[in-house]
Amino acid sequence: MEEEKEKEMESRECACQEEKESRECACQEEKESRECACQEEKGGESSPAGESKEKEEKKGPSLEEQLEEMRGNYLRALAELENYRKRMAREMNDLRETTRHRTISELLGIYDLLQMAVESARNAQDMAALRQGVEMTFGEVKRTLGGLGVETVEAAGQAFDPACHQAVGAEPSEEVPEGVVLRQWKPGFRIGGKLLRPAVVVVSKGGSQPPREEAAQAPEAPGEAEEGK
């Protein structure tokens, strides 16, 4: 009887052990299935966010960032343009000052010669010496103008050219043909091919024209010639 009871107890213990193990396995499987579901749900939620982030990175800078960059470029270009304008104005002013100083320094020699000529003319007794001084001053003027690149336009004896001559009158002349400069009052000047002042001239009208015959003699008719005979 005791053996049977022991066997019955063992069988009950085995049944309880198997039931416990089966319950533990079911709980473990349910737990694993829940964990997998949670992981899949989390993965599904994070995937769209990652995709949107990648799309934003591919799109590049936003419109506001592009506008800010363009505004910065515009301000830099405006500042560079203003600096360039100021630099060019400064250089042009320096060039004008340099040119003015050079021109005045060239004219100072003429000023000295004219001052000496005026002082000599006050008590001059030798007209030849005075004339020589004036000629020297005039030569210095021509030399100074030549050094500044100024060329003289001489018109006497040349055909009248309205591009560089200014006629103030016309006179008849037997020696000078019509349309040729008879006399020059003031010379013209040009610099670098550009006319500074035209030459002031008098143009020739040419010689006096012979008087024209009022009527030509008509030929005699044949009948009249015979009657005269």
Side-chain angles (χ1 to χ4, degrees), residues 8-221:
E8 186 177 358
M9 290 291 293
E10 289 178 358
S11 62
R12 287 180 179 178
E13 289 178 358
C14 288
C16 290
Q17 184 68 24
E18 290 178 356
E19 185 178 359
K20 184 178 180 181
E21 290 179 355
S22 63
R23 288 179 180 176
E24 290 178 355
C25 289
C27 290
Q28 184 68 22
E29 289 178 357
E30 185 178 359
K31 184 178 180 181
E32 290 179 355
S33 63
R34 288 179 180 177
E35 290 179 354
C36 291
C38 290
Q39 289 179 358
E40 289 178 356
E41 186 177 357
K42 289 181 180 180
E45 291 177 355
S46 62
S47 178
E51 290 179 359
S52 62
K53 187 175 181 180
E54 291 179 357
K55 289 181 180 179
E56 289 179 358
E57 291 178 354
K58 289 181 180 179
K59 285 181 180 179
S62 63
L63 181 60
E64 294 179 356
E65 293 175 348
Q66 293 178 5
L67 290 175
E68 186 65 23
E69 183 179 359
M70 293 175 65
R71 182 173 178 273
N73 294 335
Y74 169 75
L75 293 177
R76 283 192 295 271
L78 190 64
E80 292 178 358
L81 181 61
E82 183 66 17
N83 292 334
Y84 174 77
R85 186 186 66 79
K86 291 180 180 179
R87 184 172 66 254
M88 291 301 297
R90 186 168 56 252
E91 291 179 358
M92 289 298 296
N93 187 45
D94 294 342
L95 180 60
R96 282 194 295 267
E97 290 297 322
T98 302
T99 304
R100 185 171 65 175
H101 291 172
R102 179 189 172 190
T103 304
I104 294 174
S105 63
E106 291 288 340
L107 294 175
L108 292 179
I110 301 173
Y111 178 87
D112 295 336
L113 291 175
L114 288 174
Q115 186 179 18
M116 290 187 293
V118 170
E119 292 176 355
S120 299
R122 289 174 181 172
N123 300 318
Q125 296 179 355
D126 188 357
M127 296 303 298
L130 181 60
R131 179 180 178 180
Q132 183 180 5
V134 174
E135 290 177 351
M136 289 176 59
T137 304
F138 183 63
E140 183 66 16
V141 171
K142 292 196 294 184
R143 186 199 66 78
T144 302
L145 292 177
L148 295 174
V150 179
E151 300 177 357
T152 306
V153 179
E154 298 292 345
Q158 298 182 5
F160 177 76
D161 184 3
C164 55
H165 300 158
Q166 179 183 354
V168 293
E171 298 178 1
S173 176
E174 296 291 343
E175 293 80 11
V176 181
E178 182 180 1
V180 177
V181 175
L182 179 64
R183 187 168 59 257
Q184 174 178 286
W185 281 7
K186 296 180 181 180
F189 297 96
R190 64 164 58 97
I191 180 170
K194 183 178 180 180
L195 188 68
L196 294 177
R197 189 185 76 181
V200 181
V201 299
V202 176
V203 184
S204 172
K205 289 183 178 180
S208 57
Q209 299 293 333
R212 296 180 179 179
E213 296 180 358
E214 293 182 358
Q217 293 180 357
E220 294 180 349

